[in-house]
Amino acid sequence: MSDITDWIGLCDLAIFALQGDAGLSAAEVASLNREDTDNGAVTIKRSCFTPRTVILSATSKSAVDRYLRWVPMQIGPSEPLFINERGARISVRTIQTRFRERLKHLGIPTGRGPSALRRGMGSRLAEHRHPPRNIAAVLGLSPLSVARYFN
């Protein structure tokens, strides 16, 4: 497992920040290209959920910016935002595996996958009394499914 101070660790940190702060699924994160991040927002175009633009928190923006400064390969606008050691697009499976490795390293039971970060974000919004329509828009879901899950 990479240390959080090398570029792979910074990649993991940026991915997990996007999942927890912006509510992106592992598949949505893996499908992002460099051009999908701009001015503190991320545009999700390739998704089984509703395509949307999500404003990034300062934490997520900082994590992505730091990763991009340290990644050892040049990433062009139409190229994958998150890459593996060979320079290829990171896979959903790699995101899931790294998430579980980090949990194990921290001594946290590993029964959860990275989708727990996405659900946690939705739960935080519901706890702050955001209407289901707003939660649905952020997560790219239908308002009815959100109302059932978070109420």
Side-chain angles (χ1 to χ4, degrees):
M1 179 175 60
S2 295
D3 188 353
I4 205 152
T5 60
D6 67 11
W7 77 271
I8 295 290
L10 293 173
C11 177
D12 291 349
L13 181 65
I15 288 170
F16 303 149
L18 285 175
Q19 290 185 286
D21 288 348
L24 275 62
S25 70
E28 289 171 333
V29 171
S31 73
L32 290 174
N33 287 339
R34 177 67 182 92
E35 65 193 359
D36 297 331
T37 61
D38 189 32
N39 297 327
V42 63
T43 302
I44 298 96
K45 301 173 189 168
R46 296 160 295 281
S47 175
C48 62
F49 305 112
T50 305
R52 63 204 182 279
T53 298
V54 178
I55 304 298
L56 298 179
S57 70
T59 302
S60 293
K61 184 175 178 345
S62 173
V64 172
D65 289 346
R66 197 169 31 187
Y67 157 71
L68 288 171
R69 279 194 308 274
W70 286 96
V71 67
M73 296 155 230
Q74 191 70 358
I75 299 176
S78 62
E79 295 179 331
L81 176 60
F82 296 108
I83 57 175
N84 61 23
E85 295 87 349
R86 296 180 310 277
R89 183 179 299 277
I90 198 166
S91 70
V92 173
R93 183 70 182 139
T94 298
I95 292 171
Q96 293 167 338
T97 300
R98 288 183 183 173
F99 182 79
R100 288 187 178 99
E101 286 174 356
R102 299 254 177 222
L103 288 180
K104 186 176 179 182
H105 179 74
L106 294 170
I108 299 170
T110 59
R112 294 181 180 253
S115 60
L117 295 171
R118 177 179 163 82
R119 285 190 302 275
M121 193 267 195
S123 295
R124 284 191 305 279
L125 290 173
E127 287 170 6
H128 287 93
R129 305 273 187 240
H130 288 274
R133 183 180 337 132
N134 293 0
I135 299 170
V138 170
L139 298 178
L141 301 170
S142 74
L144 184 58
S145 67
V146 169
R148 278 190 232 144
Y149 188 80
F150 292 109
N151 285 335

